């Protein structure tokens, strides 16, 4: 398993992964997430993924945000779109992906 930032050419593999996410309202997860990616021309800047045997098996999205605390700008990020394919669960992959977003080597995420 390899944890890394999403590459710019992996929109479709990411949507393939997310399509396994059952949606309670009857939406296709692919359709649900594709509409958000249409609004974000560079989703690879905000996703960390886990790849196993050449396939994406887990992801997490960071929503960058700047706030002010006592008048000082502070960079923050919200966490969302955390998903692991059912066949990859129970192996600590989601934990590894979440830890990776805290890695200073992935500061551009």
């Amino acid at each position: 398993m390899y944890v890394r930032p999403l590459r710019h050419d992996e929109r479709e593999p990411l949507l393939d992964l997310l399509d396994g996410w059952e949606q309670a309202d009857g939406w296709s997860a692919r359709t649900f997430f594709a509409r958000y990616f249409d609004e974000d021309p560079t989703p690879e800047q905000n996703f960390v993924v886990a790849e196993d045997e050449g396939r994406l098996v887990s992801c997490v999205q960071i929503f960058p945000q700047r706030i002010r605390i006592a008048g000082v700008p502070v960079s923050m990020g919200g966490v969302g779109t955390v998903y692991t394919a059912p066949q990859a669960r129970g192996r600590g992959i989601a934990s590894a992906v979440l830890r990776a977003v805290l890695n200073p080597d992935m500061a551009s995420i």
Side-chain angles (χ1 to χ4, degrees), residues 15-58:
L15 289 172
D16 289 344
L17 168 66
L18 292 170
D19 201 34
W21 193 339
E22 292 185 29
Q23 303 294 296
D25 57 6
W27 276 83
S28 153
R30 171 181 273 281
T31 302
F32 179 85
F33 287 104
R35 64 191 177 132
Y36 291 107
F37 295 156
D38 288 343
E39 300 295 323
D40 183 357
T42 57
E44 68 276 2
Q45 294 178 3
N46 300 322
F47 273 91
V48 173
V49 296
E51 178 184 338
D52 192 30
E53 298 182 9
R55 296 191 63 161
L56 299 184
V57 295
S58 187

Side-chain angles (χ1 to χ4, degrees), residues 62-82:
I62 302 301
F63 300 96
Q65 191 74 4
R66 291 203 38 96
I67 65 168
R68 294 179 89 63
I69 298 177
V72 178
V74 177
S75 294
M76 298 183 63
V79 175
T81 318
V82 180

Side-chain angles (χ1 to χ4, degrees), residues 70-98:
V72 178
V74 177
S75 294
M76 298 183 63
V79 175
T81 318
V82 180
Y83 179 74
T84 300
Q87 69 275 13
R89 294 179 186 165
R91 298 175 20 204
I93 295 172
S95 295
V97 173
L98 286 165

